[in-house]
Each structure stands twice: as structure tokens, then as C-alpha cells.
Amino acid sequence: MGKKILEEQQPQNRHEIVNSAITNSTWETALHVAAGANQTEFVQMLINHPDIDLTFQDINGNTAFSSAIAGGAIKIVKKFLTLHLNNINNYFVTTRDEKGMSPLYIASWFGQPQIASLLYQHTIINNVDLENGEQFGIFFNCIHNDIYDLALKMIENRRHIVHQLDTNGETALHILSRKRPMEFTFDPQAIGTWNRVWSKISFQSARRRRDEMPALRLAKEIWKRILEGHEYEYFEIRSIIRNPFNLVIEAAKNGNFDLLVVLFSMCPELIWEKDDENNTIFHIAILNRHVKIFKLIHEINVLKSVVRIQEDETTNNNILHLVAKKPQQSRLDSMLGVALQMRHELLWYQEVEKILAPSLRNKRNIFHQTPKDIFIEEHTEMMNDTEKWMKKNSNTCLIVATIILTVTFPTAFDILDQGSYNSIRHSKSIISHSSDHHTMISMTLLTITNAIAMSFSSTAILLFLSIMISRFTEKELNYVKM
């Protein structure tokens, strides 16, 4: 349609049409709109027009090239770059918007990894100068928008960039500490079932993939260069770690186990970091139910010895008081069913109880509460919900098991009667051996399957009846299967 309109115009009018704004509010041309909407063929037709002005800017200072970048239209971006390489009206590549944002900055700002990498490569090849402030902005945009490969390339070319702070006064490591754990480690849930099975069998393969995660490689490189830049001076490093917030504590809260391992492997002293309430990373792991981080306590005997006897100076709470508190609901929602959630809480309590010094297991805090008192108080509602959930599901399953038993029980007598009838008939008449053999096999199979059905349904009825009359004590809940 657009091509037809252009062809109908007089040659002297075509220049004005292709470069005219089609929206009064934003001053966007047809090329702006088509590029932002990823209309490759129409864009190709417009940029081939001899009168097109590729540097035309809308009210915000954006060219059509910028619109294609923001819209993620990588095919159109490549067409524009081809024009630039051919020196055709090529100033659009370096044209900035009214805020001074370059096309590369726009790509990183909008989180377009392929386009950002393409433009960065173009910048390096053509020796395009980027101001320091813009370089830092692009670098932090890449980390915020998970474009880790490009951030790694920028570190290789600009080593000093790892020491810079963003507009919030945060280093790159502070930003990474708030990322989801799955950004740093191989996630078996993101692949198919058979691949998950194979990754468990081939541990080395899964481990290698984990090490190849771009976010983890980026964290290692940044941390290594920060340590080298400060000559491994602990007090300087500690100052970086703690400002504007303690990134070790933040990583522990978010369960970023792999990031913590990177930090501790190069600077073991950081394992003693504490938050404003004097909690170590293991106290935080207990509060947030992060299993991997908590397991580290078994590998560090000195720390284990300290944590097992440590008490809060203000409340006299120990780690068993902490685990007795109910975690955030988001941590429980990962398990299906309130009964499994309750069992999970009991297992956590029992595991921490094993670590704690025996003299502290029943010690009261300043509110005269033992860990057990807090656990019961915090989990009373969950316990009641568990009882309702178990009885409701048991009642449904009990009905099904009863129906199965009702059907299979009389069938057993029918089989016996049929067997007696066949014996009498066999004694009075002569039947072919083949027919008699097939009949006996069928009767035997039916008898076996009926017996199995009766056995399982009877067992199920007894099991569900025991659940119905259960008092739902702590010991009984431990038998709930994960």
C-alpha cells in the first residue's frame, strides 16, 4: 500500500512525502513507524528511496534507526548498518537523541542483547569514541538487563570499569547480588525431563554448564579485578562490600549460593560478615530457608562452633529461635500442599536443633519463650490447615478405595463359582485341550489381578482411616512423604 502511494506521486513530491512527519504529536515519519513495528519489507523500500533522510529525528530526537533498536528489529538494524558500511547517509549511526543517548546506549537501555552486541562490535571496529560516562552507563545497563556477555567484553577492553559506581552508588557486584540464583547456576527445571536425568548422571557435564553461566563468569572477573586493584587489602575491600549496602548479606538473603562461593573463594574473611542485627549469612539462610547456603556450615568447622553457641545480645535468641519463626509465604509456595510445607518446616527445625548446643535447645529468650514455644505459636494456623488438607484428601481417596473394594470383593466369589462350574462341565463332557487351556489361563490371571486389587484397596482404606483419626502430632507429620 505504501509503495503504491509513493509510485502515484510526482517525482518532485516524493522527497517531501518520505521525509514528512505522519504524526503531529511525535513528528515520526513513515520510516520511524515502520522500523519500530518491525516491518522489514516496507523499511527496505523506504531506505532504498534516493530522497530518504535517515538522520531525520522525531520530537524526542530519535532517528528511525533508534526506533528499530528500541523495538528489537534486528533485521532492520542490520540493513541500516549495511548502509553505513557503504557510506550511504551514514550519520544516523552516531546521531544521539535529545538526552544524548547513543544507539548503543539505547540498545542496552531497552535490554536488546543481540542488537547491543552487534552495535558494540561495530563501535570497536570503527573506533567510535564513547565518553567515560556513557561507557559506564552502557556497562550498568547490560548488568541490569542480563546482557552479561557484552558486559564481559567491555571489561576486557576497559579494565577500569569494574571500579565504577552507578547512579545509586552501587558497584556491579552489588547489582549482581540482587539477581535471582538461577542467573548464576545451571537450572535443571529449565530443560526437558530426559536432559535433567542425564545431567544428574553426568555430574561433570552439569557442573561444566554451571561454570559457563555468563553471570557467574562476569562475577568472577569483576571480583578478581577488584581484589587485584586494591592489592587484596581487606579493609579497603570490606569498605567496598559494605557500601551502599552489604552485598554479601544481600546475596545470602536472595539465596545466591554460587555468587557467595565466588566471593569466599577469593576472600574467605567475608564469611564472617554480619547484618545490622548481628546475623551471619547462616542466620539469614535459616530465616529464608536457603538450603545450599546453610549446608556450608558443615564445611567450616570454626564457623559452625561459633554459630551453634551464639545468642543475640538484645533478645537472647539463638539459631533455633530463628528457625522456629515462619518464613515468608513465597518460600513455602515452592512446595505443593500445606502438609508438605509443614513437614518441610519440621525438618528445618530438627536439622538446626542437631547443630545447636544441647544447653541452648530449651533456653528461653527475653520474652520467656523457648524455641518450641515460638514454633507452635508461628505454625498453629499451618498445622490446622494441614489437618484440614489431609482429612479432605483422605476422605476422597477413602471413597475411591471403598468403591474398588466393593467391586472386587463379590468378583472373587464369581470367579470361584465359575471355576466350580467349569470343573463339573469338564467331568461330564469332553472339551478340546486347547480351549480348556486358554480358559484356565484367563481364570488364573483374573484371580491374581482381583486379589491384587483387593489387597491394595484394603491397605488404602486402613491407611486413610488412620489419617482420618490421627491427632496430627509432630512425629506423625514426619511420615508424610516429600
Side-chain angles (χ1 to χ4, degrees):
M1 185 65 180
K3 183 178 180 181
K4 183 177 180 181
I5 293 174
L6 284 176
E7 291 175 346
E8 291 175 352
Q9 301 297 322
Q10 297 295 326
Q12 60 271 22
N13 295 332
R14 291 177 185 173
H15 173 78
E16 182 178 353
I17 291 176
V18 296
N19 294 310
S20 296
I22 61 174
T23 58
N24 294 327
S25 58
T26 60
W27 299 359
E28 290 182 309
T29 65
L31 185 58
H32 281 86
V33 176
N38 200 12
Q39 298 297 314
T40 307
E41 294 183 3
F42 189 52
V43 168
Q44 182 68 60
M45 182 195 71
L46 289 174
I47 62 178
N48 287 338
H49 197 280
D51 296 323
I52 192 72
D53 181 10
L54 299 178
T55 62
F56 188 90
Q57 295 174 287
D58 63 12
I59 196 170
N60 295 317
N62 295 316
T63 62
F65 183 55
S66 299
S67 297
I69 292 171
I74 189 168
K75 290 183 179 179
I76 295 176
V77 170
K78 288 180 178 180
K79 291 183 181 295
F80 274 100
L81 291 178
T82 301
L83 294 177
H84 174 74
L85 293 174
N86 294 331
N87 294 317
I88 301 175
N89 199 357
N90 60 9
Y91 294 105
F92 64 87
V93 175
T94 56
T95 301
R96 300 173 182 270
D97 63 11
E98 64 175 9
K99 296 181 180 179
M101 295 168 60
S102 67
L104 176 55
Y105 189 96
I106 293 172
S108 64
W109 176 263
F110 280 92
Q112 304 291 352
Q114 289 181 298
I115 296 176
S117 297
L118 189 65
L119 292 177
Y120 185 74
Q121 184 180 6
H122 176 84
T123 300
I124 297 298
I125 292 174
N126 293 276
N127 295 318
V128 178
D129 291 330
L130 296 173
E131 298 178 358
N132 282 337
E134 186 174 19
Q135 291 179 29
F136 304 152
I138 294 169
F139 177 67
F140 287 112
N141 285 343
C142 288
I143 298 177
H144 280 295
N145 293 313
D146 304 341
I147 313 177
Y148 304 119
D149 288 325
L150 180 54
L152 273 168
K153 290 180 182 178
M154 295 190 71
I155 291 176
E156 293 172 1
N157 296 317
R158 298 170 173 84
R159 298 176 63 89
H160 65 283
I161 206 168
V162 299
H163 303 287
Q164 302 304 317
L165 306 178
D166 69 357
T167 54
N168 297 319
E170 300 175 9
T171 67
L173 279 179
H174 283 84
I175 300 172
L176 289 172
S177 70
R178 294 198 300 266
K179 294 288 185 177
R180 299 171 300 172
M182 65 180 64
E183 299 285 346
F184 299 90
T185 187
F186 173 68
D187 182 16
Q189 298 300 324
I191 61 175
T193 302
W194 288 111
N195 287 330
R196 288 204 297 272
V197 173
W198 175 249
S199 67
K200 289 180 180 180
I201 298 173
S202 179
F203 175 75
Q204 292 296 331
S205 177
R207 182 178 179 181
R208 185 162 55 250
R209 281 196 294 269
R210 179 195 67 187
D211 291 338
E212 291 173 355
M213 294 296 286
L216 192 61
R217 295 204 312 270
L218 178 63
K220 287 180 178 179
E221 192 63 27
I222 293 173
W223 186 226
K224 176 184 174 183
R225 299 199 178 194
I226 287 177
L227 292 174
E228 291 174 349
H230 292 275
E231 299 180 346
Y232 292 85
E233 179 59 42
Y234 175 66
F235 292 102
E236 292 182 12
I237 295 168
R238 187 178 64 179
S239 177
I240 295 171
I241 291 295
R242 292 181 178 180
N243 293 297
F245 59 84
N246 194 317
L247 69 88
V248 173
I249 300 300
E250 189 67 23
K253 288 180 180 178
N254 292 312
N256 286 336
F257 171 78
D258 291 88
L259 178 59
L260 289 173
V261 170
V262 169
L263 297 174
F264 298 154
S265 63
M266 299 185 193
C267 188
E269 297 93 335
L270 294 178
I271 205 165
W272 297 102
E273 286 295 300
K274 297 180 180 180
D275 65 5
D276 296 334
E277 298 178 359
N278 206 35
N279 291 322
T280 67
I281 62 167
F282 297 103
H283 291 87
I284 294 169
I286 289 170
L287 284 170
N288 294 278
R289 304 299 193 263
H290 294 309
V291 178
K292 283 187 175 181
I293 299 175
F294 176 72
K295 284 183 177 179
L296 278 175
I297 199 171
H298 296 291
E299 301 178 16
I300 309 170
N301 291 330
V302 176
L303 185 60
K304 181 179 180 180
S305 300
V306 172
V307 171
R308 71 192 298 265
I309 62 172
Q310 185 176 355
E311 290 183 334
D312 185 82
E313 296 178 357
T314 305
T315 62
N316 291 337
N317 282 338
N318 54 50
I319 56 173
L320 199 56
H321 285 93
L322 293 182
V323 78
K325 296 179 180 179
K326 185 180 176 181
Q328 295 180 356
Q329 188 60 38
S330 59
R331 298 298 307 165
L332 296 173
D333 288 341
S334 59
M335 286 162 289
L336 183 63
V338 67
L340 296 182
Q341 295 173 3
M342 187 65 206
R343 183 175 185 271
H344 182 261
E345 288 295 283
L346 285 169
L347 290 176
W348 261 99
Y349 186 89
Q350 293 166 0
E351 191 64 29
V352 173
E353 189 177 32
K354 294 176 184 177
I355 296 174
L356 191 66
S359 60
L360 299 178
R361 291 174 184 173
N362 294 309
K363 190 170 182 180
R364 298 181 183 274
N365 58 17
I366 60 171
F367 304 107
H368 304 289
Q369 290 178 305
T370 64
K372 198 74 171 181
D373 295 334
I374 296 177
F375 186 87
I376 293 172
E377 180 182 333
E378 293 270 337
H379 294 83
T380 298
E381 184 179 354
M382 182 181 287
M383 182 68 82
N384 293 334
D385 291 340
T386 298
E387 183 176 355
K388 292 177 183 177
W389 186 85
M390 291 287 287
K391 288 187 176 181
K392 178 183 176 182
N393 287 279
S394 296
N395 187 48
T396 303
C397 295
L398 182 62
I399 293 173
V400 175
T402 304
I403 293 174
I404 294 173
L405 184 61
T406 304
V407 173
T408 56
F409 187 74
T411 304
F413 292 99
D414 291 341
I415 294 173
L416 292 174
D417 291 342
Q418 184 65 28
S420 300
Y421 172 76
N422 286 339
S423 298
I424 296 171
R425 189 180 65 174
H426 180 68
S427 63
K428 291 184 178 180
S429 61
I430 299 175
I431 307 174
S432 67
H433 177 72
S434 177
S435 175
D436 185 54
H437 179 68
H438 288 306
T439 301
M440 290 299 295
I441 291 176
S442 299
M443 293 294 293
T444 302
L445 290 174
L446 184 59
T447 302
I448 293 172
T449 54
N450 190 74
I452 293 173
M454 284 184 63
S455 300
F456 277 109
S457 58
S458 300
T459 304
I461 288 174
L462 293 175
L463 175 64
F464 294 126
L465 280 175
S466 66
I467 293 175
M468 295 288 288
I469 63 174
S470 172
R471 294 176 298 167
F472 289 88
T473 62
E474 174 187 334
K475 184 177 181 180
E476 289 171 331
L477 278 171
N478 282 332
Y479 289 102
V480 178
K481 300 299 181 184
M482 292 296 285

